[in-house]
């Protein structure tokens, strides 16, 4: 069956000039054919209604499955662009922490393709009906921390799947590379970051000394990155920015999101909810909180790295500019002391 791209509604957001493989008819034909084959393996058939979201880092196609909730085809940058690991990681996570992550209907590791089911109500949408304020974040953060604890022994396997390495032992060299290679950094900021290097090394050493094992850092855990399929249940997805790192680095984005919505006074409560599953690690509450403060600084490097995972041909913008913005965060006060 030939797929007519003109029948699809295409949304490019803030990236009207995004370079993606969707514009290649042969790629599009292969991708949609693969997705339909994956649906057929589950006894599903797609109709012709397609909604396409194009970004410099992903192609996301919403497809109507006949008689069933919509499904999504997702493609990230394959080859040497650094994002092909997401499909294989999502498949592995569904085995390692079932019920806590979105389970793909099909994956193609080599091409970085995945076919994803409907996941229920997005947490962002659920928040619109929730009057509990920042407390609504407490249970998802507890459950996410529990997932990270369960995944700690899998850090080596995640590395072999191609998940980027952002462990404390390698983060200083990553920092050096980003600072020297980013063309969007102005000279004054580059100088300030170079001068920060000894303190940065100290933060990495301090966090490594906590003894908490490396695990999966989502790197972009905002309110649009997990579903609420039932009361008190949460399933996490969208691992394209992920890295193997100190788990507490994951708190940077949700705490920033909560601060913008509820104000900084909400953050200690959410930090402590996240730390509930870590209270048996042998660290005191004060030591755990200090570790969060340090990790929320270092998490900016993971965010800076993620902007390098774009489709080939995208060029410096917007990756370099966004990466530079996150590097500048290292010079600011942490989101939570």
């Amino acid at each position: 069956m030939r797929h007519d791209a003109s029948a699809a509604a295409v949304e490019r957001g803030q990236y009207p000039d995004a370079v993606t493989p969707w514009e290649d008819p042969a790629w599009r034909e292969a991708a949609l054919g693969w997705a339909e084959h994956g649906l057929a393996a589950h006894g599903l058939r797609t109709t012709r209604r397609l909604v396409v979201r194009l970004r410099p880092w992903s192609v996301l196609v919403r497809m109507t499955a006949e008689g069933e909730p919509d499904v999504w085809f997702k493609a990230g940058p394959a080859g040497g662009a650094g994002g092909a690991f997401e499909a294989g990681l999502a498949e592995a996570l569904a085995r390692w922490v079932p019920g806590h992550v979105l389970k793909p209907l099909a994956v193609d590791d080599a091409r970085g393709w995945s076919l994803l089911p409907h996941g229920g109500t997005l947490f962002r949408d659920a928040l619109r009906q929730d009057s509990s304020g920042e407390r609504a974040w407490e249970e998802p953060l507890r459950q996410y921390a529990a997932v990270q604890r369960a995944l700690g022994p899998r850090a080596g396997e995640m590395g072999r799947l191609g998940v980027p390495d952002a462990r404390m032992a390698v983060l200083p060299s990553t920092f050096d590379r980003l600072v020297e290679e980013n063309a969007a950094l102005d000279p004054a900021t580059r100088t300030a970051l170079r001068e920060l290097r000894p303190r940065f090394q100290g933060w990495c050493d301090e966090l490594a000394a906590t003894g908490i094992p490396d695990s999966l850092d989502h790197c972009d855990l905002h309110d649009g990155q997990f579903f609420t399929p039932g009361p008190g249940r949460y399933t996490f997805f969208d691992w394209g920015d992920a890295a193997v790192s100190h788990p507490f680095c994951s708190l940077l984005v949700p705490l920033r999101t909560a601060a913008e919505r509820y104000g900084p006074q909400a953050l200690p409560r959410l930090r402590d909810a996240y730390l509930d599953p870590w209270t048996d690690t042998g660290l005191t509450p004060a030591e755990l909180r200090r570790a969060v403060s340090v990790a929320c600084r270092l998490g900016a490097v993971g965010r800076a790295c993620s902007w390098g995972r774009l489709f080939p041909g995208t060029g410096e913008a917007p990756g370099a500019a966004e990466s530079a913005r996150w590097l500048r965060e290292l010079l600011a006060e942490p989101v939570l002391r």
Side-chain angles (χ1 to χ4, degrees):
M1 179 188 298
R2 197 149 190 82
H3 301 92
D4 183 7
S6 65
V10 177
E11 185 265 305
R12 294 177 179 268
Q14 300 177 13
Y15 306 95
D17 301 320
V19 177
T20 77
W22 179 257
E23 286 74 23
D24 179 352
W27 185 94
R28 188 170 58 242
E29 185 76 12
L32 295 180
W34 177 86
E36 290 194 346
H37 181 77
L39 284 170
H42 291 272
L44 302 174
R45 187 168 72 88
T46 182
T47 68
R48 292 295 87 222
R49 186 169 72 85
L50 303 177
V51 179
V52 183
R53 194 194 77 163
L54 303 181
R55 298 293 186 268
W57 56 87
S58 69
V59 171
L60 189 65
V61 182
R62 183 170 183 166
M63 309 171 69
T64 297
E66 197 170 71
E68 297 289 336
D70 289 353
V71 298
W72 285 261
F73 163 83
K74 184 175 184 180
F85 68 86
E86 183 183 4
L89 174 62
E91 183 180 46
L93 291 175
R95 298 194 308 269
W96 297 338
V97 285
H100 296 286
V101 297
L102 196 61
K103 181 179 180 180
L105 296 170
V107 301
D108 185 323
D109 294 351
R111 292 188 285 192
W113 292 356
S114 56
L115 186 65
L116 304 168
H118 181 70
T121 302
L122 198 64
F123 183 64
R124 176 178 292 163
D125 296 332
L127 284 175
R128 297 191 181 103
Q129 311 298 324
D130 196 316
S131 61
S132 62
E134 71 270 16
R135 288 175 294 173
W137 277 87
E138 292 182 30
E139 187 55 27
L141 287 177
R142 285 192 191 94
Q143 291 188 22
Y144 176 71
V147 166
Q148 288 183 300
R149 290 211 69 177
L151 291 175
R154 304 283 189 177
E157 292 172 83
M158 288 187 280
R160 288 189 287 276
L161 286 172
V163 181
D165 188 350
R167 295 170 298 151
M168 296 303 102
V170 304
L171 211 58
S173 61
T174 301
F175 170 84
D176 293 340
R177 176 179 57 81
L178 291 171
V179 170
E180 298 308 318
E181 295 180 0
N182 190 301
L185 284 174
D186 61 273
T189 300
R190 197 185 313 276
T191 296
L193 288 168
R194 288 169 177 163
E195 292 173 350
L196 183 71
R197 177 59 160 78
R199 293 183 66 197
F200 186 90
Q201 180 70 60
W203 294 332
C204 292
D205 293 343
E206 180 180 354
L207 210 53
T210 63
I212 291 177
D214 296 310
S215 186
L216 187 62
D217 175 8
H218 186 286
C219 274
D220 196 24
L221 191 65
H222 57 68
D223 54 9
Q225 304 285 41
F226 51 100
F227 295 105
T228 60
R233 292 181 53 223
Y234 303 93
T235 53
F236 304 93
F237 71 102
D238 198 352
W239 304 100
D241 290 340
V244 176
S245 188
H246 192 287
F248 291 8
C249 291
S250 285
L251 268 185
L252 171 61
V253 170
L255 290 185
R256 284 174 61 97
T257 301
E260 292 170 3
R261 184 175 184 128
Y262 308 111
Q265 69 280 356
L267 303 192
R269 181 187 192 113
L270 300 185
R271 172 200 60 199
D272 291 348
Y274 171 85
L275 287 174
D276 278 351
W278 304 96
T279 54
D280 64 348
T281 57
L283 298 175
T284 67
E287 289 169 333
L288 287 169
R289 290 168 181 165
R290 167 62 185 173
V292 165
S293 179
V294 174
C296 283
R297 282 186 180 271
L298 299 180
V301 176
R303 294 295 301 133
C305 284
S306 69
W307 280 97
R309 301 172 207 164
L310 306 179
F311 286 117
T314 301
E316 287 292 331
E322 288 294 331
S323 181
R325 182 174 70 84
W326 281 103
L327 288 173
R328 285 191 287 271
E329 289 288 317
L330 289 163
L331 301 171
E333 290 298 315
V335 65
L336 184 62
R337 284 189 169 276

